[in-house]
Amino acid sequence: MAIRHIGIIANVRKNKAPEYAGELKRWIENRGLEASLDQETARVLGLPGGCSLQHMAEISDMIVAFGGDGTLLMAARHLKTYDVPLLGVNLGAFGYLTVVNLGEMYSDLEKILAGDYRIEKRMMLDVAIVKNGERLSKHTVLNDAVISRGSLHRLVDIETHVDNRYLTTYRADGLIISTPTGSTAYSLSAGGPIIFPEVDSIILNPICPHTLTNRPVILPGTSVVAMTALIRDGEATLTLDGQTSFKVDSASRIEVRRSHYVTTLIDSPHRDYFEILRTKLGWGGASNNGHAF
């Protein structure tokens, strides 16, 4: 696919992110291509013609997101209905999703514009809140949905069914329902497994379970998970991708299933997923010429 128009999103709360976005726009236009900035970035730079994310997705062949993994998660949720590839540029060390560092951005873009790149389709989850048989809201996440008691630091009982079959009632600080992409986020911090992004699966991972034999469970990607927080007093919190949250009570059922939407990510031309894991997790380097004995 020939790339003629590149959209640019920046986390304006990140130091110098708008300035880097403006520099990239000029670089793109100097090559005879078109570029557009999101509305907030254009406003911060004092430039006219900022785009809504939706309009940007309609006119762009790819979108570059400046910030961290959180910026890319936000973009993935807002642009879920558009099959536009995303390239994440991290302003610090590269992340699990923002795999390009600022210093290598232009060399990577040169390769991408020449057609030398690979894309990955990342599974997303649909999360619905149902009460009294009525679906109150539906949301889509790239990383995870988390049920907890929020800031109360109290255990919560979460009755869990998979494909209409009772699994267990978790008694824990919370429960993480994660995609393979999200397996290296909160789930990993809670002792969950690392799942290769292309594996079609859903991870259930209790947070500090009261029963130590409650361990992470990896389900087929076709599974439908239904959960109810059994709370006698107050409410529980449902948090999506660590960025938005909703209150739920014991009359609410949370249903999670694989979404028909996917997030399309552009891979770094410089490193693969295993190198990202080695670097981010501090694993040892190669030895013995790469051979294991």
Side-chain angles (χ1 to χ4, degrees):
M1 177 187 70
I3 296 174
R4 301 297 305 170
H5 192 119
I6 299 176
I8 305 170
I9 299 170
N11 182 347
V12 297
R13 294 181 297 278
K14 290 271 189 177
N15 185 36
K16 297 190 73 174
E19 288 83 353
Y20 292 132
E23 291 172 8
L24 176 60
K25 184 176 187 295
R26 290 189 293 273
W27 183 88
I28 293 168
E29 291 171 341
N30 286 338
R31 278 153 179 75
L33 305 176
E34 295 180 280
S36 55
L37 297 171
D38 70 271
Q39 290 174 328
E40 186 67 8
T41 301
R43 183 191 64 80
V44 170
L45 293 175
L47 298 175
C51 286
S52 69
L53 295 188
Q54 288 70 28
H55 181 58
M56 180 184 292
E58 291 171 352
I59 63 177
S60 299
D61 299 308
M62 67 174 287
I63 292 177
V64 178
F66 282 93
D69 284 355
T71 305
L72 200 142
L73 286 171
M74 177 278 296
R77 289 199 312 278
H78 282 83
L79 303 177
K80 65 183 181 182
T81 59
Y82 303 91
D83 188 21
V84 55
L86 300 175
L87 177 69
V89 178
N90 201 307
L91 302 184
F94 61 83
Y96 289 106
L97 298 175
T98 48
V99 297
V100 172
N101 288 332
L102 186 64
E104 62 195 24
M105 176 182 65
Y106 291 112
S107 62
D108 280 5
L109 281 172
E110 291 280 13
K111 292 183 178 181
I112 291 168
L113 292 175
D116 181 16
Y117 66 96
R118 190 173 74 91
I119 62 172
E120 285 187 358
K121 300 286 187 178
R122 296 291 184 94
M123 168 185 171
M124 303 182 81
L125 294 174
D126 285 336
V127 183
I129 302 174
V130 179
K131 192 169 184 178
N132 298 323
E134 178 185 358
R135 189 172 73 184
L136 301 182
S137 62
K138 179 183 174 183
H139 314 271
T140 305
V141 298
L142 175 57
N143 263 3
D144 51 40
V146 180
I147 305 170
S148 68
R149 290 302 297 268
S151 61
L152 295 179
H153 301 294
R154 293 165 59 186
L155 292 172
V156 58
D157 295 322
I158 304 172
E159 184 179 283
T160 304
H161 291 76
V162 178
D163 296 332
N164 294 316
R165 294 176 292 174
Y166 177 65
L167 173 63
T168 189
T169 298
Y170 291 103
R171 185 169 175 78
D173 285 356
L175 179 64
I176 304 168
I177 309 94
S178 170
T179 65
T181 296
S183 71
T184 52
Y186 191 8
S187 180
L188 182 63
S189 299
I194 297 172
I195 307 295
F196 197 75
E198 295 174 354
V199 175
D200 184 20
S201 61
I202 298 173
I203 304 134
L204 298 183
N205 189 9
I207 306 167
C208 299
H210 186 261
T211 301
L212 295 181
T213 53
N214 278 150
R215 309 308 303 163
V217 177
I218 303 173
L219 301 171
T222 55
S223 301
V224 177
V225 185
M227 295 146 292
T228 301
L230 305 176
I231 307 165
R232 296 180 182 85
D233 59 316
E235 297 173 312
T237 300
L238 171 66
T239 304
L240 306 177
D241 275 348
Q243 296 181 339
T244 58
S245 62
F246 303 86
K247 296 297 183 182
V248 293
D249 57 26
S250 57
S252 304
R253 185 174 75 253
I254 300 166
E255 297 179 351
V256 178
R257 69 191 73 208
R258 179 178 59 197
S259 177
H260 69 273
Y261 297 119
V262 297
T263 295
T264 303
L265 298 181
I266 299 178
D267 283 346
S268 165
H270 293 292
R271 60 181 63 85
D272 60 23
Y273 185 71
F274 297 123
E275 182 177 347
I276 292 171
L277 288 180
R278 288 195 303 272
T279 303
K280 296 293 290 184
L281 300 178
W283 291 351
S287 60
N288 299 318
N289 295 319
H291 298 291
F293 294 93

